[in-house]
């Protein structure tokens, strides 16, 4: 056998080994992604079913499923369809919105602190809603619209402040933390000028709660997500390429600044509509994406998995807030998620992972 033929044989053998290794890695990632996704979906369904079963009038799983299918008689049907199901459905939608919003911000700005509830978007929405209630005596849809306007105004201000020939996560996060403090100060000032009854009605927009859930609110949020989630899916491919770096993205024909602006706009919109429906449910957007990416372990965006983690966090926290705490300790869902996310933020800062990102 001649030397070139021998070298060609060795090279082909190495290429085949490398190809088998690559196929095995891809197969392992697909399997892990499927297992993680199905596991999170099963956990979300189990938590929703448990929430529908528990309450002052306990129901079996069969009664719940029959009521949801419309084949059960009163009072189980009324309890499920009019009282418990709207709350669970709102929790699912809020979890999806906050989970995806956090994943978008943290991915495009490459900073685990870049979450709507850390950089002021949720606080801006809260300030808008509280101002509408305490200054204008507003209620209902007008309060929700004010919340969206407040969050959107903060998003635009952050983009203008942090832009300096380009957008970096470091400037955006620092500017956002400052804006969050300003919004909190505005809310505090408005509360000091309000009556006790007005302050009580504004509490929802400071802590986050699902207690106000009804079908009209669920429909409004569902319609908003029907518009926003497909747009997120449309820009997800461009965001994947952006994660390779701006130079690589440009070489592949992408416009990094335009993509970054679109992703931030979608993240702001998702955070605003979720806050307008349930208030600033703390730390869901902050923790959902890191948990999802840690479970997958492949460095991808994990948008679907972040949405499912968001559902698990919101519905699970509401289950704890409603049924697992003593009656005299009943709290809104935002208090429970804050108790979960606060230690994670402390660990993140103490371990230096925020700087590393």
């Amino acid at each position: 056998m001649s030397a070139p033929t021998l070298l060609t044989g060795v090279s082909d053998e190495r290429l085949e080994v490398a190809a088998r290794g690559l196929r095995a890695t891809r197969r392992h990632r697909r399997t892990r992604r499927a297992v993680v996704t199905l596991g999170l979906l099963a956990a979300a369904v189990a938590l929703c079913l448990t929430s529908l079963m528990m309450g002052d009038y306990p129901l079996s799983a069969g009664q719940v499923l029959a009521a949801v299918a419309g084949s059960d008689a009163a009072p189980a049907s009324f309890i499920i369809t009019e009282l418990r199901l709207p709350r669970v459905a709102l929790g699912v939608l809020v979890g999806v919105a906050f989970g995806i919003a956090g994943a978008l911000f943290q991915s495009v700005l490459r900073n685990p602190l870049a979450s709507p509830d850390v950089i002021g978007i949720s606080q801006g929405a809260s300030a808008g809603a509280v101002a509408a209630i305490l200054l204008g005596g507003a209620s209902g849809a007008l309060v929700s619209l004010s919340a969206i306007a407040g969050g959107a105004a903060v998003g635009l201000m952050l983009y203008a402040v942090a832009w300096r020939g380009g957008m970096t996560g470091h400037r955006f996060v620092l500017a956002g933390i400052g804006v969050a403090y300003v919004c909190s100060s505005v809310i505090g000032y408005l509360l000091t000028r309000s009556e006790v009854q007005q302050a009580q009605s504004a509490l929802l927009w400071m802590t986050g709660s699902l207690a106000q859930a009804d079908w009209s609110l669920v429909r409004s949020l569902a319609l908003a997500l029907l518009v926003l989630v497909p747009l997120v899916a449309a820009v997800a491919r461009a965001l994947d390429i952006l994660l390779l770096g701006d130079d690589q993205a440009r070489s592949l024909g992408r416009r990094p600044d335009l993509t970054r602006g679109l992703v931030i706009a979608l993240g702001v919109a998702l955070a605003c509509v979720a806050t307008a429906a349930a208030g600033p449910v703390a730390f869901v957007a902050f923790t959902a994406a890191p948990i999802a990416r840690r479970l997958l372990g492949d460095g991808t965006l994990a948008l679907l998995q972040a949405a499912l983690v968001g559902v698990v966090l919101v519905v699970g926290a509401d289950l704890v807030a409603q049924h697992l705490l003593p009656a005299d300790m009943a709290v809104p869902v935002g208090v429970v998620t804050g108790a979960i996310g606060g230690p994670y933020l402390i660990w993140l800062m103490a371990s230096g992972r925020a700087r590393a990102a």
Side-chain angles (χ1 to χ4, degrees):
M1 182 181 294
S2 64
T5 303
L6 179 62
L7 290 175
T8 302
V10 172
S11 178
D12 289 345
E13 184 179 349
R14 288 180 177 177
L15 286 174
E16 179 60 27
V17 171
R20 283 202 301 269
L22 183 60
R23 286 195 293 270
T25 301
R26 287 178 175 171
R27 191 163 52 247
H28 172 72
R29 286 184 174 180
R30 285 197 297 269
T31 303
R32 181 167 177 171
R33 178 173 286 267
V35 170
V36 168
T37 304
L38 291 176
L40 289 172
L41 185 61
V45 171
L47 286 170
C48 292
L49 183 60
T50 304
S51 292
L52 293 174
M53 292 168 59
M54 296 182 69
D56 294 334
Y57 189 89
L59 297 170
S60 66
Q63 288 177 301
V64 170
L65 295 176
V68 172
S71 59
D72 203 2
S77 178
F78 174 80
I79 291 172
I80 292 298
T81 57
E82 298 299 327
L83 300 180
R84 297 181 187 175
L85 192 54
R87 183 169 184 142
V88 172
L90 185 64
V92 170
L93 296 174
V94 167
V96 168
F98 276 130
I100 296 178
L104 291 178
F105 273 104
Q106 291 166 348
S107 297
V108 76
L109 298 175
R110 301 178 188 177
N111 192 316
L113 294 179
S115 170
D117 41 12
V118 174
I119 61 174
I121 304 298
S122 297
Q123 289 85 346
S126 296
V130 171
I133 294 172
L134 300 183
L135 297 180
S139 61
L142 188 56
V143 177
S144 298
L145 291 175
S146 300
I148 294 174
V154 168
L156 289 173
M157 184 169 62
L158 286 178
Y159 201 85
V161 170
W163 177 270
R164 193 181 298 164
M167 180 67 67
T168 68
H170 182 67
R171 281 203 301 269
F172 203 96
V173 170
L174 287 180
I177 291 174
V179 171
Y181 276 109
V182 172
C183 292
S184 298
S185 299
V186 170
I187 294 173
Y189 172 76
L190 292 174
L191 287 176
T192 62
R193 310 293 296 177
S194 65
E195 302 293 335
V196 174
Q197 289 185 337
Q198 287 180 311
Q200 285 181 338
S201 63
L203 283 178
L204 160 67
W205 303 99
M206 298 170 60
T207 57
S209 174
L210 302 179
Q212 75 287 2
D214 58 31
W215 283 119
S216 63
L217 193 57
V218 171
R219 278 193 294 271
S220 300
L221 183 55
L223 287 174
L225 294 188
L226 282 176
V227 174
L228 293 174
V229 172
L231 293 176
V232 171
V235 301
R237 175 62 180 163
L239 183 54
D240 262 329
I241 295 175
L242 194 62
L243 294 179
L244 300 174
D246 286 7
D247 292 337
Q248 292 286 343
R250 288 192 186 93
S251 67
L252 293 172
R254 301 293 180 179
R255 299 170 62 183
D257 290 333
L258 177 61
T259 302
R260 204 171 279 119
L262 288 173
V263 171
I264 289 175
L266 288 172
V268 169
L270 285 166
C272 286
V273 295
T275 305
V281 184
F283 289 120
V284 174
F286 181 61
T287 56
I291 292 173
R293 285 195 291 267
R294 180 64 65 90
L295 291 173
L296 289 181
D298 58 3
T300 57
L301 281 175
L303 290 175
L304 173 60
Q305 291 74 22
L308 290 173
V309 173
V311 173
V312 169
L313 288 174
V314 175
V315 177
D318 191 51
L319 185 64
V320 172
Q322 281 194 91
H323 305 298
L324 300 187
L325 293 177
D328 57 346
M329 291 181 61
V331 294
V333 64
V335 176
V336 178
T337 57
I340 297 171
Y344 172 68
L345 176 59
I346 294 172
W347 172 80
L348 197 67
M349 300 303 293
S351 64
R353 289 173 182 266
R355 291 193 302 272

